[in-house]
Amino acid sequence: MSKAEQRAQMINGTGFIAALDQSGGSTPKALALYGVEASDYSSDEEMFGEIQKMRARIILADDFTKDKVIGAILFERTLGEEIEGRKVADYLWSVKGILPFLKIDKGLEEQANGVQVMKPIPGLAETLAKADGVFGTKERSVIHEANADGIAAVVAQQFDVAREVTDAGMVPIVEPEVNIHSQTKAEAEEILKAEILKNLDQLAEGQEVMLKLTIPTKANLYDALADHPRVLRVVALSGGYSTEQACDLLGQNGKMIASFSRALTEGLSKQQSDAEFNAALGGNIDKIYKASV
Protein backbone atom coordinates (compact mmCIF):
# COMPACT_ATOMS: atom_id res chain seq x y z
CA MET A 1 0.00 0.00 0.00
CA SER A 2 1.28 3.47 -0.87
CA LYS A 3 2.31 6.26 1.50
CA ALA A 4 -0.73 8.21 0.28
CA GLU A 5 -3.06 5.41 1.39
CA GLN A 6 -1.26 5.14 4.74
CA ARG A 7 -1.54 8.91 5.19
CA ALA A 8 -5.26 8.75 4.42
CA GLN A 9 -5.68 6.04 7.06
CA MET A 10 -3.91 8.21 9.64
CA ILE A 11 -6.11 11.22 8.85
CA ASN A 12 -9.42 9.38 8.55
CA GLY A 13 -8.98 6.29 10.73
CA THR A 14 -11.14 5.94 13.82
CA GLY A 15 -9.53 4.74 17.02
CA PHE A 16 -6.19 5.33 18.66
CA ILE A 17 -2.45 4.71 18.49
CA ALA A 18 -1.10 2.00 20.78
CA ALA A 19 2.20 2.84 22.47
CA LEU A 20 4.19 -0.42 22.61
CA ASP A 21 7.56 1.31 22.81
CA GLN A 22 8.80 0.36 26.28
CA SER A 23 12.59 0.82 26.10
CA GLY A 24 15.52 -0.21 28.29
CA GLY A 25 14.61 2.22 31.06
CA SER A 26 10.87 1.56 31.19
CA THR A 27 10.87 -2.19 30.48
CA PRO A 28 11.50 -3.51 34.05
CA LYS A 29 8.56 -1.46 35.39
CA ALA A 30 6.28 -2.53 32.51
CA LEU A 31 7.25 -6.18 33.06
CA ALA A 32 6.67 -5.95 36.83
CA LEU A 33 3.14 -4.63 36.20
CA TYR A 34 2.70 -7.58 33.80
CA GLY A 35 3.69 -10.06 36.53
CA VAL A 36 7.29 -10.67 35.40
CA GLU A 37 9.70 -9.91 38.25
CA ALA A 38 13.37 -8.92 37.88
CA SER A 39 14.27 -12.35 39.33
CA ASP A 40 12.58 -13.98 36.31
CA TYR A 41 15.35 -12.84 33.92
CA SER A 42 19.11 -12.64 34.33
CA SER A 43 20.22 -10.45 31.39
CA ASP A 44 19.03 -7.61 29.16
CA GLU A 45 18.62 -10.21 26.41
CA GLU A 46 16.14 -12.21 28.54
CA MET A 47 14.39 -9.02 29.72
CA PHE A 48 13.81 -7.85 26.14
CA GLY A 49 12.68 -11.37 25.25
CA GLU A 50 9.98 -11.17 27.92
CA ILE A 51 8.72 -7.75 26.80
CA GLN A 52 8.65 -8.96 23.17
CA LYS A 53 6.45 -11.89 24.21
CA MET A 54 4.11 -9.42 25.90
CA ARG A 55 4.01 -7.18 22.81
CA ALA A 56 3.39 -10.14 20.51
CA ARG A 57 0.55 -11.35 22.75
CA ILE A 58 -1.07 -7.89 22.52
CA ILE A 59 -0.61 -7.60 18.74
CA LEU A 60 -1.98 -11.10 18.14
CA ALA A 61 -5.07 -10.53 20.31
CA ASP A 62 -8.44 -10.63 18.53
CA ASP A 63 -9.42 -7.09 19.56
CA PHE A 64 -6.14 -5.54 18.42
CA THR A 65 -7.44 -4.65 14.94
CA LYS A 66 -7.36 -1.68 12.56
CA ASP A 67 -11.04 -1.05 13.37
CA LYS A 68 -9.96 0.40 16.72
CA VAL A 69 -6.16 0.71 16.55
CA ILE A 70 -4.87 3.02 13.76
CA GLY A 71 -1.17 2.72 14.57
CA ALA A 72 1.35 1.26 17.01
CA ILE A 73 4.61 2.76 18.29
CA LEU A 74 7.55 0.35 18.55
CA PHE A 75 10.94 0.38 20.27
CA GLU A 76 13.91 0.26 17.84
CA ARG A 77 14.95 -3.20 18.97
CA THR A 78 11.44 -4.49 18.15
CA LEU A 79 12.01 -3.83 14.43
CA GLY A 80 14.37 -6.80 14.37
CA GLU A 81 11.88 -9.12 16.11
CA GLU A 82 9.34 -11.31 14.31
CA ILE A 83 5.72 -12.35 14.77
CA GLU A 84 4.62 -15.46 12.87
CA GLY A 85 7.70 -15.30 10.66
CA ARG A 86 7.35 -11.63 9.69
CA LYS A 87 9.21 -8.58 11.00
CA VAL A 88 6.96 -6.83 13.54
CA ALA A 89 6.47 -3.64 11.46
CA ASP A 90 5.60 -5.71 8.38
CA TYR A 91 3.22 -7.92 10.42
CA LEU A 92 1.44 -4.88 11.84
CA TRP A 93 0.83 -3.34 8.42
CA SER A 94 0.54 -6.35 6.09
CA VAL A 95 -1.51 -8.60 8.36
CA LYS A 96 -3.27 -6.24 10.77
CA GLY A 97 -3.50 -3.06 8.66
CA ILE A 98 -2.05 -1.02 11.56
CA LEU A 99 0.50 1.74 10.87
CA PRO A 100 3.92 1.15 12.51
CA PHE A 101 5.79 4.03 14.21
CA LEU A 102 9.32 3.97 15.68
CA LYS A 103 10.42 5.57 18.95
CA ILE A 104 13.71 7.32 18.06
CA ASP A 105 14.67 9.38 21.12
CA LYS A 106 17.48 8.15 23.38
CA GLY A 107 16.09 9.49 26.65
CA LEU A 108 16.22 12.85 28.39
CA GLU A 109 18.88 15.27 29.57
CA GLU A 110 18.89 16.44 33.20
CA GLN A 111 16.29 19.07 34.05
CA ALA A 112 17.21 22.70 33.23
CA ASN A 113 14.91 25.74 32.88
CA GLY A 114 12.03 23.58 34.12
CA VAL A 115 12.28 21.12 31.21
CA GLN A 116 14.12 18.03 29.99
CA VAL A 117 15.21 18.20 26.36
CA MET A 118 16.13 15.06 24.44
CA LYS A 119 19.61 13.60 24.57
CA PRO A 120 21.42 13.65 21.20
CA ILE A 121 20.22 10.94 18.78
CA PRO A 122 23.40 9.49 17.22
CA GLY A 123 23.05 7.74 13.86
CA LEU A 124 19.50 9.04 13.29
CA ALA A 125 19.88 9.20 9.50
CA GLU A 126 21.00 5.55 9.40
CA THR A 127 18.19 4.47 11.74
CA LEU A 128 15.59 6.17 9.55
CA ALA A 129 17.10 4.70 6.37
CA LYS A 130 16.89 1.18 7.85
CA ALA A 131 13.36 1.51 9.23
CA ASP A 132 11.68 -0.58 6.54
CA GLY A 133 7.92 -0.27 6.37
CA VAL A 134 7.72 2.29 9.19
CA PHE A 135 5.22 5.13 8.65
CA GLY A 136 6.51 7.56 11.26
CA THR A 137 8.56 8.21 14.39
CA LYS A 138 8.01 9.37 17.95
CA GLU A 139 10.34 11.50 20.05
CA ARG A 140 9.68 12.65 23.64
CA SER A 141 10.73 15.61 25.80
CA VAL A 142 9.24 16.63 29.17
CA ILE A 143 8.08 20.00 30.51
CA HIS A 144 7.92 20.33 34.30
CA GLU A 145 7.28 24.07 34.75
CA ALA A 146 5.79 27.04 32.91
CA ASN A 147 9.25 28.36 31.95
CA ALA A 148 9.01 30.16 28.59
CA ASP A 149 12.70 29.74 27.70
CA GLY A 150 12.68 26.06 28.59
CA ILE A 151 9.51 25.35 26.64
CA ALA A 152 10.83 27.25 23.60
CA ALA A 153 14.00 25.11 23.71
CA VAL A 154 12.00 21.88 23.91
CA VAL A 155 9.79 22.79 20.94
CA ALA A 156 12.68 24.08 18.80
CA GLN A 157 14.62 20.84 19.35
CA GLN A 158 11.52 18.75 18.60
CA PHE A 159 10.95 20.53 15.28
CA ASP A 160 14.63 20.25 14.29
CA VAL A 161 14.33 16.47 14.66
CA ALA A 162 10.92 16.51 12.95
CA ARG A 163 12.41 18.12 9.83
CA GLU A 164 15.05 15.38 9.62
CA VAL A 165 12.29 12.76 9.87
CA THR A 166 10.10 14.39 7.20
CA ASP A 167 13.17 14.65 4.92
CA ALA A 168 13.49 10.85 5.27
CA GLY A 169 9.90 10.46 4.04
CA MET A 170 8.28 9.69 7.40
CA VAL A 171 5.80 11.46 9.66
CA PRO A 172 7.22 12.51 13.06
CA ILE A 173 5.14 12.45 16.23
CA VAL A 174 6.37 15.49 18.15
CA GLU A 175 5.93 14.74 21.88
CA PRO A 176 6.60 17.57 24.35
CA GLU A 177 4.93 15.98 27.38
CA VAL A 178 3.75 18.26 30.20
CA ASN A 179 4.16 16.58 33.59
CA ILE A 180 0.64 15.95 34.97
CA HIS A 181 1.91 16.76 38.48
CA SER A 182 3.30 20.19 37.50
CA GLN A 183 2.12 23.01 39.76
CA THR A 184 1.99 25.25 36.67
CA LYS A 185 0.53 22.73 34.19
CA ALA A 186 -2.19 25.00 32.74
CA GLU A 187 0.23 27.92 32.24
CA ALA A 188 2.83 25.62 30.70
CA GLU A 189 0.22 24.35 28.23
CA GLU A 190 -0.67 27.87 27.08
CA ILE A 191 3.02 28.65 26.43
CA LEU A 192 3.49 25.28 24.72
CA LYS A 193 0.51 25.84 22.40
CA ALA A 194 1.89 29.24 21.28
CA GLU A 195 5.38 27.79 20.67
CA ILE A 196 4.03 24.86 18.67
CA LEU A 197 1.87 27.15 16.50
CA LYS A 198 4.91 29.35 15.81
CA ASN A 199 6.99 26.34 14.72
CA LEU A 200 4.17 24.82 12.66
CA ASP A 201 3.89 28.06 10.71
CA GLN A 202 7.58 27.74 9.79
CA LEU A 203 7.21 24.27 8.24
CA ALA A 204 7.44 24.11 4.46
CA GLU A 205 4.71 22.85 2.14
CA GLY A 206 4.67 19.04 2.32
CA GLN A 207 6.22 18.88 5.80
CA GLU A 208 3.61 17.29 8.09
CA VAL A 209 3.77 16.28 11.73
CA MET A 210 1.62 14.68 14.37
CA LEU A 211 1.55 15.95 17.94
CA LYS A 212 1.48 13.81 21.09
CA LEU A 213 0.47 15.95 24.04
CA THR A 214 -0.59 15.62 27.65
CA ILE A 215 -4.38 15.95 27.96
CA PRO A 216 -4.75 19.69 28.69
CA THR A 217 -6.16 21.17 31.90
CA LYS A 218 -8.43 23.39 29.77
CA ALA A 219 -10.57 21.15 27.54
CA ASN A 220 -10.10 21.60 23.78
CA LEU A 221 -7.09 23.88 24.28
CA TYR A 222 -5.32 22.22 21.37
CA ASP A 223 -8.11 22.45 18.78
CA ALA A 224 -6.18 25.12 16.85
CA LEU A 225 -3.23 22.73 16.59
CA ALA A 226 -5.48 19.91 15.33
CA ASP A 227 -6.87 22.27 12.67
CA HIS A 228 -3.43 23.43 11.46
CA PRO A 229 -2.74 22.39 7.83
CA ARG A 230 0.66 20.90 8.78
CA VAL A 231 -0.82 18.59 11.46
CA LEU A 232 -2.17 15.13 10.57
CA ARG A 233 -3.48 14.23 14.04
CA VAL A 234 -3.17 15.32 17.67
CA VAL A 235 -2.85 12.34 20.01
CA ALA A 236 -2.91 12.24 23.80
CA LEU A 237 -0.55 10.46 26.19
CA SER A 238 -1.90 8.97 29.41
CA GLY A 239 0.96 10.50 31.43
CA GLY A 240 0.43 8.43 34.58
CA TYR A 241 -3.35 8.76 34.75
CA SER A 242 -5.28 5.51 35.24
CA THR A 243 -7.10 4.16 32.17
CA GLU A 244 -10.39 5.43 33.64
CA GLN A 245 -9.08 8.95 34.33
CA ALA A 246 -7.24 9.22 31.03
CA CYS A 247 -10.33 8.16 29.06
CA ASP A 248 -12.61 10.54 31.00
CA LEU A 249 -10.29 13.50 30.36
CA LEU A 250 -9.69 12.57 26.74
CA GLY A 251 -13.43 12.36 26.13
CA GLN A 252 -13.64 16.10 26.88
CA ASN A 253 -11.24 16.92 24.01
CA GLY A 254 -13.05 16.37 20.72
CA LYS A 255 -10.03 16.72 18.39
CA MET A 256 -7.58 14.47 20.25
CA ILE A 257 -7.26 10.68 20.03
CA ALA A 258 -5.40 8.43 22.46
CA SER A 259 -1.87 7.13 22.29
CA PHE A 260 -1.71 5.28 25.59
CA SER A 261 0.94 2.88 26.88
CA ARG A 262 0.41 2.02 30.54
CA ALA A 263 -3.34 2.59 30.28
CA LEU A 264 -3.51 0.11 27.40
CA THR A 265 -1.75 -2.65 29.37
CA GLU A 266 -3.43 -1.97 32.74
CA GLY A 267 -4.62 -5.20 34.34
CA LEU A 268 -2.80 -7.50 31.90
CA SER A 269 -0.76 -10.34 33.36
CA LYS A 270 1.52 -13.06 32.02
CA GLN A 271 -0.27 -15.49 34.34
CA GLN A 272 -3.68 -14.92 32.70
CA SER A 273 -5.10 -17.54 30.35
CA ASP A 274 -5.44 -16.33 26.76
CA ALA A 275 -9.18 -15.89 27.30
CA GLU A 276 -8.61 -13.77 30.45
CA PHE A 277 -5.84 -11.77 28.78
CA ASN A 278 -7.91 -11.09 25.65
CA ALA A 279 -10.93 -10.06 27.74
CA ALA A 280 -8.87 -7.61 29.84
CA LEU A 281 -7.09 -6.16 26.79
CA GLY A 282 -10.37 -5.97 24.85
CA GLY A 283 -11.94 -4.02 27.71
CA ASN A 284 -9.06 -1.52 27.71
CA ILE A 285 -9.16 -1.19 23.92
CA ASP A 286 -12.91 -0.52 24.01
CA LYS A 287 -12.59 2.18 26.68
CA ILE A 288 -9.71 3.93 24.87
CA TYR A 289 -11.47 3.63 21.50
CA LYS A 290 -14.68 5.17 22.84
CA ALA A 291 -12.76 8.06 24.41
CA SER A 292 -10.96 8.62 21.08
CA VAL A 293 -14.08 8.75 18.90
Side-chain angles (χ1 to χ4, degrees), residues 48-106:
F48 286 121
E50 288 291 348
I51 200 81
Q52 175 55 23
K53 285 180 204 161
M54 181 183 102
R55 284 194 192 104
R57 200 177 183 194
I58 290 169
I59 291 168
L60 289 165
D62 292 345
D63 287 327
F64 198 84
T65 69
K66 67 177 181 181
D67 297 332
K68 292 180 179 172
V69 183
I70 306 169
I73 305 167
L74 306 172
F75 177 44
E76 191 176 337
R77 190 184 175 106
T78 313
L79 294 187
E81 304 280 2
E82 294 187 349
I83 294 178
E84 295 185 345
R86 289 174 181 258
K87 295 285 189 219
V88 176
D90 176 46
Y91 186 89
L92 275 170
W93 179 246
S94 302
V95 178
K96 289 273 183 164
I98 291 169
L99 294 168
F101 288 83
L102 173 64
K103 169 189 157 70
I104 56 170
D105 66 83
K106 301 296 182 188

Side-chain angles (χ1 to χ4, degrees), residues 32-291:
L33 289 168
Y34 183 56
V36 179
E37 299 303 328
S39 56
D40 294 333
Y41 48 86
S42 55
S43 65
D44 279 359
E45 219 39 58
E46 289 181 11
M47 176 184 79
F48 286 121
E50 288 291 348
I51 200 81
Q52 175 55 23
K53 285 180 204 161
M54 181 183 102
R55 284 194 192 104
R57 200 177 183 194
I58 290 169
I59 291 168
L60 289 165
D62 292 345
D63 287 327
F64 198 84
T65 69
K66 67 177 181 181
D67 297 332
K68 292 180 179 172
V69 183
I70 306 169
I73 305 167
L74 306 172
F75 177 44
E76 191 176 337
R77 190 184 175 106
T78 313
L79 294 187
E81 304 280 2
E82 294 187 349
I83 294 178
E84 295 185 345
R86 289 174 181 258
K87 295 285 189 219
V88 176
D90 176 46
Y91 186 89
L92 275 170
W93 179 246
S94 302
V95 178
K96 289 273 183 164
I98 291 169
L99 294 168
F101 288 83
L102 173 64
K103 169 189 157 70
I104 56 170
D105 66 83
K106 301 296 182 188
L108 303 168
E109 297 284 14
E110 291 299 315
Q111 188 170 325
N113 282 344
V115 304
Q116 288 177 277
V117 297
M118 293 181 280
K119 287 180 175 173
I121 310 174
L124 178 57
E126 293 85 343
T127 300
L128 296 175
K130 286 188 308 198
D132 285 343
V134 172
F135 176 74
T137 63
K138 191 211 74 156
E139 40 278 2
R140 173 178 172 263
S141 323
V142 179
I143 295 162
H144 298 283
E145 295 168 19
N147 180 309
D149 290 342
I151 293 171
V154 158
V155 177
Q157 182 194 39
Q158 282 277 352
F159 275 82
D160 283 345
V161 173
R163 285 184 183 86
E164 195 168 344
V165 173
T166 58
D167 287 349
M170 296 183 198
V171 176
I173 300 179
V174 169
E175 183 184 12
E177 174 179 347
V178 178
N179 184 336
I180 62 168
H181 304 297
S182 169
Q183 298 300 302
T184 52
K185 180 175 178 283
E187 297 91 320
E189 287 164 348
E190 294 286 356
I191 299 167
L192 176 62
K193 177 186 171 184
E195 281 298 324
I196 292 175
L197 280 171
K198 190 168 81 182
N199 279 269
L200 286 171
D201 288 341
Q202 292 165 4
L203 290 178
E205 185 77 40
Q207 288 182 321
E208 293 179 315
V209 302
M210 293 171 57
L211 303 169
K212 182 166 178 172
L213 305 170
T214 306
I215 304 167
T217 301
K218 182 182 170 191
N220 299 311
L221 176 70
Y222 295 133
D223 282 5
L225 302 180
D227 292 336
H228 196 283
R230 298 283 176 269
V231 176
L232 286 188
R233 285 310 269 268
V234 178
V235 305
L237 56 101
S238 48
Y241 291 124
S242 69
T243 309
E244 211 66 55
Q245 274 178 303
C247 289
D248 284 349
L249 292 168
L250 178 61
Q252 297 165 31
N253 290 270
K255 295 188 178 182
M256 293 178 91
I257 63 171
S259 178
F260 295 167
S261 172
R262 204 189 46 71
L264 174 66
T265 58
E266 188 173 276
L268 302 184
S269 162
K270 182 181 179 176
Q271 288 73 31
Q272 288 166 330
S273 68
D274 285 346
E276 290 166 338
F277 178 90
N278 290 342
L281 177 64
N284 287 349
I285 286 174
D286 275 347
K287 274 185 213 158
I288 299 167
Y289 172 80
K290 282 175 183 145

